[in-house]
Amino acid sequence: MGSAPDSFAPILLQLLLGVGFSALILTLAFLINPKKKSKPQDTFECGVTYYGDARGLFNIKFYLVAVLFILFDIEAVFLYPWAVNLITFKEAGLGTFFLLEMFFFLLILVVGLYYIWKKGALEWD
């Protein structure tokens, strides 16, 4: 089904372009940044006075919703390549297997969503 590529030149070229572009951007940022010799008078130099503690506590619901968002976002990331390659799997005779496997994957996610919904994890009260 899969085999090693004949040439690693495109992979190497993309790696070199990525590293080179990153190095160029960092070098330009270092060269053209403003060079201030004075120490700042305040923590924030934008003119707005700050208040409160920077280490304030957040509601645990914020973290829970963030983790759930990441979970379902990753699920969408897995669905896209699967949908693109489904025709290839079908031509190889594995279409039904991969379709059932993806339905099982989605079923697990729907059961998880139902569970957190019934537990009230998405309620902000």
Side-chain angles (χ1 to χ4, degrees), residues 22-122:
S22 300
L24 175 72
I25 293 298
L26 288 173
T27 303
L28 285 175
F30 178 75
L31 292 176
I32 63 175
N33 71 345
K35 311 276 191 286
K36 287 189 176 183
K37 302 296 182 197
S38 65
K39 293 189 89 177
Q41 302 297 328
D42 201 1
T43 305
F44 302 107
E45 294 182 357
C46 63
V48 177
T49 58
Y50 58 92
Y51 60 90
D53 188 14
R55 295 171 293 227
L57 298 176
F58 288 99
N59 189 351
I60 192 69
K61 298 277 187 181
F62 172 77
Y63 296 109
L64 184 61
V65 170
V67 167
L68 292 173
F69 174 76
I70 290 172
L71 173 76
F72 287 103
D73 189 43
I74 290 172
E75 175 246 341
V77 168
F78 280 123
L79 281 177
Y80 183 73
W82 170 83
V84 169
N85 291 317
L86 185 61
I87 295 174
T88 308
F89 293 139
K90 185 178 177 185
E91 291 171 356
L94 297 171
T96 306
F97 172 72
F98 280 100
L99 186 65
L100 292 175
E101 187 176 338
M102 188 51 62
F103 280 138
F104 183 68
F105 176 68
L106 290 174
L107 177 71
I108 292 172
L109 287 171
V110 167
V111 168
L113 179 62
Y114 179 75
Y115 175 76
I116 61 172
W117 198 329
K118 286 299 177 185
K119 280 289 199 178
L122 300 176

